[in-house]
Amino acid sequence: MEALANQRLTLERLRKRITRRLAILVNSCVHCGLCSDSCHYYLAENSNRFIPAFRTDRLSSLFRRYHTWLGRRIPFWVGAKGVEELSIKELTDAVFGECSMCGRCAINCSVGLDIGFLIREARKILAELDQVPGGLQSTVDKAVTTGNNMAITEEELIGTLQWLEEELQQEVADRRAKIPLNKVGARVLYTLNPREPKFFPLSIIAIAKIFYAADEDWTISSTNFDATNYAYYSGDDQAARTIAGRLVEETERLGARILAVTECGHAYRSLRWEAPNWLGKRFDFQVKSILELIADYIRQGRIRLDSSIHSAPVTLHDPCNLVRYGGVMEVQRYILRKAVSNFVEMHPNRERNYCCGGGGGLLSMSEYAELRLKAGKAKAEQIRRTGAKVVAAPCHNCIDQLMELNKKYKLGIETKTIGEIVADALILPSRRVNSAIESASKKG
Amino acid sequence: MLPLSQALSLGALLFCIIALLYMLLQVRHLPHQRDLATPRGRWWEGIVYAFTKALLPWSKESSTRHLVSYLAGVVFHLSTFFALFLFFLSFWLKSVPASLKLWGSLGLWSGLLCGFGLLLKRIFTPHLRSLSYPDDYFSNALVEAFLLVSWISLREGEFPPYFYFIAVIFFLYLPLGKLRHALFCLYARAVWGSFFGRRGVLSLWGAKRTEGR
């Protein structure tokens, strides 16, 4: 009885879900299979079920069954399958557990199909059927009900930031160095990944130090600080709208001109590219990755860096949602060339990079953890080939996955955010003044 | 008055065009989300990229890694377009010029061999077989048949009725099965180019776009 109700519901959702883009894509796959080895899951496991086209065919076969002439009459001929033949468990595993929505197959598809988009459409249907894996769903629920995905209270955050402010003041030896909270009229509203105040506070100090050195007019909201949006991954557009809407409202309330997104791939994608569509409006402020701001500071001479601090080889991981789906490709390279003396590129890189395996919300779905780490093999090998000792990863999800890959594949690397690398290489304004005096006295 | 075979083939072509146009209109009427995010790159640059640079064998990892399959696919498709061109030409051509006979035969044979190779690959490669349905095999075989009768017609110097009968099946089947990708692939490629072009990921001149300051 329940199965029948589920089937009806799926069918109904499928009917509602068909957008122009979806119809074009499901009509275009020619089953050439050339996408197979662009997928890190297929490379690691070499199994048919990990071929991107095979994964999306579950959705396409439903479309063919109900929306094509041959599919309605001779379903076996075109591989059309009805809802009754669809295993919800299989579909859930395929689109949630066996795909990080990295889009590498989309870039490499010989036809030009955005397979990541198809996977998210399938996730949307499953979200409406309440089939989102528990870990991911509870992350979304926490964000919706508490305002951030780790349920950090305002008091907790304020306490942490006050402690970090003291650390910052000690580090820059300046009592005027601040982490401004809820400042109306600040130019930049900086957002966090809740993992930062909870587990990686050093990355907040790093950015605060950069803002201090650049003399930026910035602030953090004590209530709406979470840049992440796991509803993007779960396929729940209503929740995604709620989560993104809070930050947009906060930016408007504080009158910031720039909403700066912390180093987090999917947060950047969600706020920069998806949020205007979820909310149905264009923003009056700019959404920028913190990397873009840092690059601006370097170009404008607002901060200066001493690259000799980092002499060990440093390589760069390109987070899929920031690079392939976000278009932020060159600023991180520009920054690293200024901040380290031995920058080594991974190959392939930029939009052709391999996913680390930590995207798609997979870090929150413990039932797929083993497969996630296996799928990270391509990235681990890529890192090993560079011989780098430090991996710069401008994404906290990627950093978590890279740390696990480091253990599993014994890479012997250290993972850092770009902000942390830049903060270490900063020539602070006081030192700048001192060195100017020194060089003037030498010349004199 | 046209011979029956030719008249039937024109009827099938008309059905094919109307069916494809109908599908196109259906798709155009589906809900579409306009992208409201401020673009970083240019959508049209992405579309131009999708139809030019992206087609080069070295532009995508999938084509460089599977160069033989990719090139075989390109030749197979070019031959099919040539066979279609011959179909239209057949209504006007009184006799086949020698140069067309030579080069056309070469092109059609290349297409036949490549198509046959791809069919064998589909049959014998397990991962490709797992992706395939009868429609995939039939579509390939139908195009092969069309290329074969085109080649025979060129060699004979005239277009016999069976050339048009195969054309009838080809045009009738095109909108129904996998062959309709002839229309949708172009659309999908444009959508792909526009999407990634807008985000500044695809660029014609190699330089990636950075956000305006």
Side-chain angles (χ1 to χ4, degrees):
Chain A
M1 200 66 182
E2 198 189 335
L4 198 69
N6 254 354
Q7 286 172 11
R8 283 214 190 102
L9 210 55
T10 313
L11 199 61
E12 196 48 45
R13 298 291 177 266
L14 184 71
R15 206 164 283 149
K16 265 172 47 188
R17 278 274 162 263
I18 295 175
T19 58
R20 189 188 298 171
R21 193 166 166 211
L22 177 66
I24 294 164
L25 299 196
V26 291
N27 270 308
S28 303
C29 181
V30 292
H31 304 143
C32 70
L34 297 190
C35 56
S36 54
D37 38 23
S38 64
C39 176
H40 53 293
Y41 279 93
Y42 182 80
L43 287 178
E45 293 288 281
N46 203 22
S47 161
N48 296 344
R49 76 174 208 267
F50 296 119
I51 300 170
F54 191 83
R55 215 176 269 143
T56 53
D57 201 56
R58 290 176 176 91
L59 184 63
S60 311
S61 65
L62 280 176
F63 175 87
R64 287 194 292 269
R65 179 69 183 85
Y66 302 108
H67 299 278
T68 66
W69 192 84
L70 272 182
R72 280 192 293 259
R73 280 154 190 86
I74 329 171
F76 86 94
W77 185 260
V78 289
K81 292 187 183 92
V83 176
E84 66 286 353
E85 293 170 81
L86 180 83
S87 155
I88 294 280
K89 166 82 174 81
E90 228 179 69
L91 183 63
T92 307
D93 286 345
V95 302
F96 280 105
E98 299 167 3
C99 176
S100 57
M101 293 164 73
C102 76
R104 194 163 191 274
C105 47
I107 287 290
N108 283 299
C109 172
S110 59
V111 173
L113 310 182
D114 186 353
I115 296 168
F117 167 81
L118 286 176
I119 293 289
R120 187 162 192 276
E121 289 299 302
R123 286 189 178 198
K124 277 184 184 177
I125 295 173
L126 289 170
E128 290 192 40
L129 291 171
D130 292 328
Q131 296 296 324
V132 177
L136 179 57
Q137 187 58 53
S138 78
T139 311
V140 176
D141 292 343
K142 239 181 265 170
V144 172
T145 52
T146 71
N148 65 85
N149 73 41
M150 290 205 151
I152 300 171
T153 62
E154 189 177 7
E155 292 72 33
E156 261 182 279
L157 183 79
I158 292 174
T160 305
L161 292 181
Q162 278 169 349
W163 161 63
L164 290 176
E165 190 176 85
E166 286 164 20
E167 293 283 317
L168 173 72
Q169 289 171 352
Q170 275 180 21
E171 201 170 329
V172 300
D174 186 349
R175 300 288 298 170
R176 289 168 301 170
K178 298 277 178 209
I179 298 183
L181 273 175
N182 306 318
K183 183 180 168 192
V184 177
R187 191 178 88 99
V188 175
L189 172 63
Y190 182 60
T191 55
L192 304 172
N193 181 320
R195 304 185 81 75
E196 294 178 85
K198 205 86 175 167
F199 307 120
F200 302 101
L202 289 182
S203 63
I204 302 178
I205 299 193
I207 297 299
K209 198 172 154 188
I210 295 168
F211 280 144
Y212 164 77
D215 199 17
E216 183 58 270
D217 179 16
W218 69 293
T219 190
I220 292 180
S221 164
S222 62
T223 46
N224 294 304
F225 60 88
D226 184 1
T228 67
N229 197 329
Y230 277 77
Y232 169 73
Y233 286 141
S234 74
D236 181 348
D237 276 356
Q238 182 55 47
R241 200 172 293 128
T242 305
I243 295 168
R246 285 183 190 143
L247 263 183
V248 170
E249 275 172 30
E250 190 69 350
T251 313
E252 288 166 348
R253 188 183 70 78
L254 294 172
R257 275 178 283 153
I258 296 171
L259 176 61
V261 184
T262 182
E263 294 182 54
C264 178
H266 89 275
Y268 176 77
R269 178 183 181 169
S270 298
L271 286 166
R272 171 69 178 83
W273 294 108
E274 314 297 343
N277 301 329
W278 287 329
L279 297 167
K281 65 173 186 180
R282 293 190 167 89
F283 301 155
D284 295 330
F285 52 85
Q286 281 184 294
V287 180
K288 283 193 167 200
S289 161
I290 185 65
L291 302 179
E292 293 172 294
L293 282 182
I294 296 174
D296 284 349
Y297 299 153
I298 299 173
R299 280 193 207 103
Q300 293 160 2
R302 289 171 68 178
I303 59 172
R304 281 176 56 210
L305 305 175
D306 176 6
S307 64
S308 66
I309 297 281
H310 300 290
S311 54
V314 177
T315 191
L316 172 69
H317 165 63
D318 284 308
C320 309
N321 281 309
L322 182 74
V323 178
R324 191 159 31 236
Y325 277 117
V328 179
M329 279 187 215
E330 299 305 324
V331 287
Q332 54 271 52
R333 292 174 162 78
Y334 172 74
I335 296 168
L336 283 179
R337 287 198 181 96
K338 299 282 180 189
V340 307
S341 52
N342 190 358
F343 171 53
V344 199
E345 279 279 14
M346 281 186 208
H347 292 283
N349 53 52
R350 295 178 171 84
E351 77 274 20
R352 296 168 192 214
N353 73 83
Y354 278 111
C355 174
C356 63
L362 277 154
L363 282 166
S364 62
M365 297 181 261
S366 54
E367 59 269 51
Y368 303 116
E370 199 186 326
L371 184 60
R372 163 170 61 83
L373 290 175
K374 277 188 193 168
K377 195 179 167 200
K379 177 53 70 179
E381 293 308 321
Q382 233 190 333
I383 293 171
R384 205 192 299 280
R385 279 198 300 274
T386 63
K389 296 287 166 228
V390 178
V391 178
C395 173
H396 284 279
N397 277 354
C398 296
I399 283 188
D400 281 3
Q401 168 79 349
L402 290 172
M403 280 161 63
E404 289 193 49
L405 293 182
N406 187 23
K407 259 189 233 160
K408 182 175 167 69
Y409 295 97
K410 298 182 174 56
L411 297 173
I413 49 151
E414 194 185 347
T415 46
K416 284 185 170 182
T417 63
I418 291 188
E420 286 164 5
I421 290 174
V422 170
D424 287 343
L426 265 180
I427 301 173
L428 286 170
S430 53
R431 281 170 61 194
R432 225 186 279 170
V433 173
N434 291 342
S435 64
I437 294 167
E438 272 170 31
S439 62
S441 63
K442 271 179 199 166
K443 276 180 195 167
Chain B
M1 186 77 176
L2 279 175
L4 180 68
S5 59
Q6 289 191 13
L8 281 177
S9 68
L10 285 179
L13 175 65
L14 190 67
F15 163 79
C16 176
I17 292 170
I18 291 172
L20 288 178
L21 278 177
Y22 174 70
M23 283 177 179
L24 197 63
L25 280 177
Q26 263 190 326
V27 166
R28 291 290 302 175
H29 277 99
L30 287 172
H32 174 62
Q33 165 82 60
R34 263 187 68 214
D35 202 344
L36 296 172
T38 316
R40 177 193 298 277
R42 291 185 282 239
W43 62 269
W44 60 263
E45 192 179 326
I47 294 180
V48 176
Y49 180 98
F51 286 98
T52 53
K53 269 180 108 171
L55 291 169
L56 297 172
W58 52 87
S59 77
K60 289 183 182 180
E61 189 188 277
S62 52
S63 46
T64 43
R65 276 200 187 192
H66 305 274
L67 193 60
V68 176
S69 296
Y70 181 74
L71 291 178
V74 170
V75 173
F76 186 44
H77 281 81
L78 288 177
S79 296
T80 311
F81 287 124
F82 178 69
L84 277 172
F85 167 73
L86 267 187
F87 169 79
F88 292 115
L89 205 65
S90 71
F91 290 91
W92 285 277
L93 219 57
K94 298 284 177 243
S95 65
V96 180
S99 58
L100 183 66
K101 215 179 237 189
L102 177 72
W103 293 110
S105 296
L106 196 69
L108 290 169
W109 258 106
S110 314
L112 267 169
L113 283 178
C114 291
F116 191 60
L118 291 173
L119 184 62
L120 290 181
K121 189 184 170 198
R122 191 173 285 284
I123 294 168
F124 291 109
T125 315
H127 87 262
L128 211 46
R129 209 165 48 230
S130 73
L131 278 176
S132 307
Y133 302 108
D135 177 35
D136 293 290
Y137 302 104
F138 179 75
S139 298
N140 184 309
L142 182 58
V143 176
E144 290 274 312
F146 189 45
L147 294 181
L148 186 67
V149 292
S150 302
W151 171 70
I152 294 171
S153 307
L154 262 193
R155 197 193 60 179
E156 300 295 319
E158 58 178 22
F159 294 88
Y162 57 78
F163 170 78
Y164 294 102
F165 285 128
I166 293 289
V168 168
I169 302 172
F170 177 75
F171 288 130
L172 288 181
Y173 192 72
L174 198 144
L176 303 179
K178 173 194 178 172
L179 292 178
R180 67 173 177 274
H181 77 262
L183 171 76
F184 285 102
C185 272
L186 300 176
Y187 207 158
R189 192 166 272 275
V191 169
W192 179 82
S194 154
F195 177 83
F196 285 107
R198 211 171 174 280
R199 293 193 177 196
V201 177
L202 301 178
S203 162
L204 272 177
W205 296 279
K208 308 291 181 192
R209 298 192 166 274
T210 47
E211 198 86 81
R213 267 163 274 154

